[in-house]
Amino acid sequence: MSYIYIIIAVLASGGYVAYSSYKISSLKTENQSLSQAIQVSLRANKELEIALSESEIEHQKNLEFLAKAKSQNEKERVYVEKIKYKIIKDNNGTCLNAINDVFSRLQQQTRDSNNTKAKSKERL
C-alpha cells in the first residue's frame, strides 16, 4: 500500500515540476517582451529629449528675434516722434522738410539692410 502513496507523490511532484517549468517559461517570454518595450521606450525618450532641446534652441532664437524687432520698432517710433515734434516746433518748416527727413531715414534703412545682407553672405 505504501507503493501507491509513493506513486501518487511522484506523480504529484512531477505535475508540480511540469507546471513550474511552464510558468517559468511563460514568465521568461513575458520578461523578454517587457525588456523590448523598455528599450523602445528608452529610444523614444532620447529622441524626445533631442527634439525638446532643438525646440528650446529655436524658441530662444525666436525670442532674440522678437527682442531685436521690438528694439527696431522702438527706434522707428522715436524717430517718427522726433520728426513730428520738429515739424510742430518749427513753425517755418514745410512739409518738404518733413518729407526730406523721412526720405533720409528710408535711405539709412536701405543701407542698414544692405549691410546686414552683406554680412550674412560673408558668414556663409
Side-chain angles (χ1 to χ4, degrees):
M1 182 94 158
S2 65
Y3 293 115
I4 294 175
Y5 292 124
I6 293 172
I7 292 171
I8 291 174
V10 168
L11 289 175
S13 64
Y16 179 74
V17 169
Y19 176 75
S20 297
S21 295
Y22 169 75
K23 270 306 213 185
I24 288 173
S25 67
S26 68
L27 288 175
K28 283 182 181 179
T29 58
E30 185 179 341
N31 189 23
Q32 287 175 348
S33 66
L34 288 174
S35 177
Q36 291 172 351
I38 288 172
Q39 293 301 322
V40 169
S41 297
L42 289 174
R43 276 185 266 146
N45 190 25
K46 287 179 183 178
E47 290 174 6
L48 286 174
E49 286 176 355
I50 291 169
L52 182 63
S53 67
E54 290 173 357
S55 176
E56 288 175 353
I57 291 169
E58 193 66 30
H59 179 68
Q60 187 63 32
K61 287 180 183 177
N62 289 339
L63 288 177
E64 290 171 4
F65 174 77
L66 288 175
K68 288 178 183 177
K70 184 177 179 183
S71 172
Q72 186 65 26
N73 189 18
E74 185 63 22
K75 287 180 188 176
E76 296 302 321
R77 188 191 64 75
V78 168
Y79 184 75
V80 168
E81 289 290 322
K82 190 166 88 173
I83 291 174
K84 183 176 89 172
Y85 287 125
K86 184 178 178 184
I87 292 170
I88 292 172
K89 185 178 175 185
D90 187 14
N91 288 335
N92 294 331
T94 62
C95 287
L96 187 59
N97 291 340
I99 291 171
N100 286 335
D101 288 341
V102 170
F103 185 70
S104 68
R105 179 64 180 158
L106 289 175
Q107 285 179 328
Q108 181 182 357
Q109 284 178 337
T110 303
R111 282 192 304 273
D112 291 345
S113 176
N114 289 340
N115 289 340
T116 303
K117 288 179 184 177
K119 286 180 183 177
S120 65
K121 286 182 181 178
E122 288 175 3
R123 290 180 190 166
L124 297 177

